[in-house]
Amino acid sequence: MTFLSDTLIMLFSQVLFFAGGWVFFVKQLFKDYEIHQTVVQLLFSATFSLSCTMFELIIFEILGFLDSSSRYFHWKLGLYMMLITVIVLLPFYIAYYVFSNIRFVKRSMAFWLTILSWIIFMYFFWKIGDPFPILSPKHGIFSIEQGISRVGVIGVTLMALLSGFGAVNCPYSYMSYFVWYVTDKDIESLERKLMQTMDMIINKKKRISLAARDMLQSGVADQSIGGFWGMLKNAATLRSESTGLLQQETLALEEMSRQLFLETVDLHNMKERIEYTKTLKGRYFNLLGYFFSVYCSYKIFMATINIIFDRVGKKDPITRGFEIAVDYLGIQFDVKFWSQHISFILVGIIVVTSIRGLLITLTKFFYAISSSKSSNVIVLGLAQIMGMYFISSVLLMRMNMPAEYRSIITEVLGDLQFNFYHRWFDVIFLVSALSSIGFLYLAHKQAPERNTYL
């Protein structure tokens, strides 16, 4: 009876998560598009539901909610379903919709091309595990370790890239120190230059139209007066050369006008950002930016230390904090009680911020590159990224939990080389963060140069 009631609770929560994914799909991602493919919506919502279920099981593990055997069963069931979705279903349908959008590919041919593409994907997916020491060779082909280990490499790489960029871009976006100084005079000067360029484009296009009309009239005159053929031919040649030169100048001015327009938009945005920093909310985010800059520096420093000394943390932050409080500060308290509650709060914060941050990123990415034809493919691709991202989050989140709560996660995920994933995360995070610093430095350095011609 206990197993049945636990299963009903898990099923009810999965239905709620599925409904949440469905609503997000309809109201957020596809609010500007007409939904034609229900299977795309089902796959996205199912992936979201399974992802949230894994985080739910982590919280249940900390709270001791549900029977331990029930939690273990649903861990295994959820991971297998997630792996089937991420490795089998999503790549298959991505390839199918890609070939279906190609006009000259017939429906029957698209199916066989999809099968071939999926086989190629599986080959390269399997070969991902060869260069990395991710698991023991004793595991079978269809073991859960084979799938988790390879998905973990891709997901941890993605997480590290996003974390490295976010750790640098967040303080850069929040801190008023990086705001360009823009005045209304600068904006008016650039807008005036843009209007002058537009006037020059209009005048040159008028001259091109007049030259084309004169050439047409000279051609008619040529048919009626044959004696002046040579003179009219020379005049037409001169007009043609002049028209070609005007067209080249017009193209150059149009490109210049596009650049001026984009720079005008940048100045307006920066002006709004300057006004925003003067508000109470802007000052709060400015202070938050300084905090994240210190945090970013700490993360880069610790990642460098971990890489140089081949070091991986053995204790979670909560246990380490309790050891400091008890051994060095002499504070006495119920370690087991507070460990459970603080672990619950910490994991809850990680879960909420992970889901929220990823959904915001996916939404921005979808709006940036989607179209009516490519929207289904992009949504399925984002669903696959989401599934790999959350599997890897569980894999890395294990280290942030005390030993008594991480045991079942270690048992469910199998005999993996967990230390490798933490070292791999540090390497990719460091590369991403340093690359982001270099990119933002160059972008910020060029900012004052834009105003030199104003």
Side-chain angles (χ1 to χ4, degrees), residues 4 40 62 77 94 98 145 147 164 166 170 177 180 225 234 248 279 282 287 292 303 319 357 385 411 418 446:
L4 179 60
V40 176
I62 295 173
L77 178 63
I94 289 173
V98 167
E145 290 84 356
C170 183
Y177 175 80
W180 310 332
I225 306 175
N234 292 333
Q248 292 178 4
T279 63
L287 182 63
F292 278 116
T319 302
I385 292 174
E411 184 180 357
F418 292 102
Q446 292 175 357

Side-chain angles (χ1 to χ4, degrees), residues 104-378:
F104 58 84
V105 176
K106 297 180 180 179
R107 182 64 62 89
S108 58
M109 187 178 179
F111 176 78
W112 293 110
L113 288 173
T114 300
I115 296 293
L116 178 62
S117 300
W118 182 81
I119 294 173
I120 295 173
F121 164 80
M122 288 301 299
Y123 171 78
F124 284 105
F125 177 78
W126 190 264
K127 297 298 289 184
I128 286 177
D130 291 349
F132 302 105
I134 50 181
L135 76 167
S136 173
K138 66 182 180 181
H139 298 291
I141 295 177
F142 296 103
S143 64
I144 197 170
E145 290 84 356
Q146 296 285 1
I148 292 289
S149 61
R150 288 163 172 79
V151 170
V153 171
I154 302 174
V156 168
T157 303
L158 176 66
M159 286 183 63
L161 289 172
L162 293 176
S163 299
F165 175 75
V168 176
N169 185 63
C170 183
Y172 179 80
S173 302
Y174 286 172
M175 294 172 62
S176 58
Y177 175 80
F178 298 105
V179 176
W180 310 332
Y181 181 71
V182 178
T183 64
D184 293 332
K185 185 178 179 180
D186 296 332
I187 298 175
E188 292 174 0
S189 177
L190 191 60
E191 289 178 342
R192 186 164 55 251
K193 191 176 183 65
L194 176 60
M195 294 304 298
Q196 291 173 355
T197 306
M198 297 301 295
D199 290 338
M200 292 172 64
I201 292 173
I202 293 172
N203 291 331
K204 289 187 181 296
K205 287 188 174 182
K206 285 181 179 179
R207 292 172 60 184
I208 292 172
S209 300
L210 292 174
R213 186 192 64 181
D214 293 342
M215 290 177 63
L216 181 62
Q217 291 177 351
S218 66
V220 174
D222 174 56
Q223 293 179 0
S224 60
I225 306 175
F228 294 97
W229 166 250
M231 183 174 64
L232 292 173
K233 184 177 180 180
N234 292 333
T237 303
L238 291 174
R239 291 194 189 97
S240 177
E241 293 175 354
S242 177
T243 302
L245 182 61
L246 286 172
Q247 288 176 343
Q248 292 178 4
E249 293 175 352
T250 303
L251 290 175
L253 287 171
E254 287 178 342
E255 180 62 28
M256 182 179 177
S257 67
R258 280 191 289 270
Q259 296 298 326
L260 289 173
F261 175 77
L262 293 175
E263 291 176 9
T264 304
V265 172
D266 288 341
L267 290 184
H268 277 287
N269 291 337
M270 195 53 59
K271 182 66 176 177
E272 292 177 0
R273 186 177 171 186
I274 291 174
E275 297 298 327
Y276 176 75
T277 57
K278 298 177 182 178
T279 63
L280 182 62
K281 187 176 180 181
R283 292 173 181 173
Y284 164 75
F285 277 102
N286 181 46
L287 182 63
L288 201 62
Y290 282 101
F291 170 77
F292 278 116
S293 64
V294 175
Y295 175 75
C296 172
S297 302
Y298 170 78
K299 287 288 292 182
I300 292 175
F301 174 76
M302 292 305 300
T304 305
I305 295 298
N306 293 338
I307 294 170
I308 293 176
F309 296 101
D310 194 18
R311 194 184 70 168
V312 176
K314 301 296 183 183
K315 295 182 180 179
D316 64 286
I318 299 171
T319 302
R320 186 180 298 275
F322 285 157
E323 288 180 353
I324 294 173
V326 173
D327 298 337
Y328 296 98
L329 301 179
I331 302 175
Q332 300 297 326
F333 51 84
D334 189 345
V335 174
K336 184 177 181 181
F337 173 81
W338 286 107
S339 175
Q340 181 184 23
H341 286 73
I342 295 177
S343 297
F344 170 73
I345 295 172
L346 177 63
V347 172
I349 293 173
I350 295 174
V351 168
V352 172
T353 54
S354 297
I355 295 175
R356 179 181 178 275
L358 185 64
L359 290 179
I360 291 174
T361 303
L362 293 182
T363 304
K364 292 180 179 178
F365 185 78
F366 178 78
Y367 286 154
I369 66 173
S370 65
S371 65
S372 58
K373 289 186 177 181
S374 64
S375 56
N376 290 324
V377 176
I378 294 173

